Amino acid sequence: MHALTRSGLRQPEVFPVFYGPTPTDSIRNASNTYSLINSVEFHPRENLFCAAFTTVNKLILMKVTQQGKLKTVQVIGNPTAALAEPQHAVFSQDGNKIIAVNWDNATFTIYERLPDGLYASKPVAVIPFPPELKDYKPHGIEISPSGEFLAVAFGVTTRHKKGLALFKYHHAESRLQLLNLIEEAQLPGIPKGIAFSPDESCLLVTFSNINSISVYDLDWAAGAIKVAPRQVFQGALTGLSRPEDIKISAEGDHLIVSNSGANTVTCYHFDKSSNSIGEETPYYILDNPNARIRFPHGISLSADGSVLAITQFGPLEEKDDGNIVFGHRTPRRQAKINIYRREHTRPVFSTGWKSTLSSLLHRLTR
């Protein structure tokens, strides 16, 4: 099917992407103590993902079977792994390396794939943050579509320094070179999630404390992020509520955001020709009770777009400064990862999204 544009030319129609409404499988934290599961990232070619179990210092690789079930493939852990509360981990674009960013000691650790298909438990490189970033705490990271650049969102609470950083990734040498940093004074809020546009000319960033997404142009001649955003996506109708992670579909037509403040995942149309988010209202909301999510955080789409993975913290208290509260008494199994299958039409059981949006609008406009 094609849609008629104002110019009279017919363009391919963009079909909505739906996931759910219920998870096909979930896996809970199996460690002896509670752990935040901050991120999940799919391999660029396989139905395999890497999840960062931050507070128990583990990277856990899982695959999605043909039956839509999760199976643990490998656990990368200390002392060999040199992890220090890994906040987020991503695959290189060829899938042969994993890059993790560590909260506690301000380092990147890189792990190579071995001939047997597993990843080395000892990093091939441990890269300290450059001096400009020594006081920053990382949140989201993203590898560019070309695999040549890495973007990092530094922003966790009001008490921590905030920034956006762009790195050149030298794959062969497993080396990272800081190109540009946008500092806190130039940002509108606390950046959390970050994603490259499909053409690698923009960055999309969620700001959790102001419920917004900003789209920033990249000036590749200068190797810099332009400070003034080209679009600010914000408002009661967006359904954004403490947005965390952000992902663009493989087709480049859809944007998916996790909202820890509303226990939802919202989906939007994305115009990849203009690098802009379309209509203000999400075309679909993955929500409870069917979705079974509480404090959703990291999200990722499989390479073929057939599976959506969501990490969640469970019912944790959040302080006014954005800090979250957990400890040795927090039930360890409330942290988990859910996976959802892609549907070709709106799931017939997911009728709660309208009431979710209505309730959210009521809260935001009181």
Side-chain angles (χ1 to χ4, degrees), residues 8-26:
L9 298 177
R10 291 187 176 273
Q11 299 292 336
E13 184 174 345
V14 177
F15 290 92
V17 175
F18 304 111
Y19 290 89
T22 59
T24 60
D25 198 12
S26 65

Side-chain angles (χ1 to χ4, degrees), residues 24-75:
T24 60
D25 198 12
S26 65
I27 190 164
R28 297 180 182 272
N29 170 35
S31 301
N32 292 328
T33 59
Y34 177 83
S35 178
L36 299 175
I37 311 175
N38 269 305
S39 76
V40 58
E41 290 288 342
F42 269 99
H43 188 281
R45 297 185 181 88
E46 304 171 21
N47 268 0
L48 172 77
F49 65 70
C50 178
F53 284 66
T54 301
T55 44
V56 292
N57 291 310
K58 293 178 181 178
L59 301 178
I60 300 183
L61 288 99
M62 304 177 195
K63 72 176 182 179
V64 183
T65 68
Q66 292 183 343
Q67 294 74 36
K69 301 299 181 182
L70 288 172
K71 181 180 179 181
T72 299
V73 174
Q74 183 182 3
V75 178

Side-chain angles (χ1 to χ4, degrees), residues 75-338:
V75 178
I76 299 173
N78 288 342
T80 310
L83 293 166
E85 297 196 349
Q87 180 73 19
H88 203 132
V90 295
F91 288 94
S92 60
Q93 282 297 350
D94 62 5
N96 289 331
K97 290 180 181 176
I98 296 172
I99 306 169
V101 64
N102 293 285
W103 165 283
D104 195 49
N105 66 355
T107 62
F108 296 96
T109 44
I110 301 178
Y111 308 85
E112 286 189 313
R113 200 168 203 181
L114 303 173
D116 62 4
L118 299 178
Y119 289 81
S121 57
K122 183 178 181 179
V124 67
V126 178
I127 305 170
F129 286 3
E132 301 95 316
L133 297 173
K134 71 180 184 67
D135 295 325
Y136 286 78
K137 294 294 187 182
H139 198 270
I141 66 173
E142 173 85 338
I143 197 85
S144 68
S146 68
E148 296 182 6
F149 302 94
L150 186 80
V152 184
F154 294 95
V156 183
T157 71
T158 57
R159 295 184 293 108
H160 295 95
K161 293 183 73 172
K162 294 165 276 293
L164 300 175
L166 183 65
F167 290 83
K168 171 72 175 175
Y169 174 47
H170 300 273
H171 184 273
E173 307 106 271
S174 295
R175 183 167 62 88
L176 288 165
Q177 173 192 356
L178 179 64
L179 298 178
N180 181 232
L181 171 66
I182 294 182
E183 298 184 5
E184 181 170 344
Q186 299 169 307
L187 295 175
I190 302 174
K192 290 288 191 77
I194 194 164
F196 282 92
S197 63
D199 65 1
E200 209 168 285
S201 69
C202 294
L203 285 174
L204 288 81
V205 181
T206 62
F207 289 92
S208 63
N209 61 324
I210 58 172
N211 298 325
S212 76
I213 301 169
S214 289
V215 183
Y216 293 91
D217 284 315
L218 293 170
D219 181 352
W220 288 120
I225 307 165
K226 292 187 177 181
V227 173
R230 65 181 299 156
Q231 181 185 11
V232 176
F233 186 72
Q234 191 175 30
L237 292 177
T238 64
L240 296 173
S241 178
R242 206 167 62 221
E244 302 281 355
D245 208 356
I246 183 169
K247 291 292 186 291
I248 298 177
S249 65
E251 302 89 347
D253 294 328
H254 307 282
L255 190 67
I256 300 178
V257 179
S258 57
N259 299 281
S260 61
N263 297 319
T264 62
V265 172
T266 43
C267 305
Y268 310 88
H269 292 299
F270 184 75
D271 186 341
K272 59 184 177 183
S273 63
S274 64
N275 284 328
S276 60
I277 306 169
E279 65 276 8
E280 188 177 7
T281 304
Y283 69 77
Y284 178 60
I285 301 177
L286 185 66
D287 64 345
N288 293 322
N290 294 319
R292 304 170 195 168
I293 47 179
R294 189 75 179 267
F295 209 124
H297 201 262
I299 56 176
S300 187
L301 296 168
S302 61
D304 62 2
S306 65
V307 180
L308 167 67
I310 304 172
T311 76
Q312 57 183 301
F313 294 166
L316 298 183
E317 179 188 357
E318 183 175 24
K319 298 295 187 181
D320 291 340
D321 64 0
N323 199 27
I324 52 178
V325 181
F326 63 94
H328 67 277
R329 293 185 179 180
T330 306
R332 62 182 177 86
R333 293 179 63 79
Q334 74 178 34
K336 62 180 181 177
I337 303 170
N338 287 352

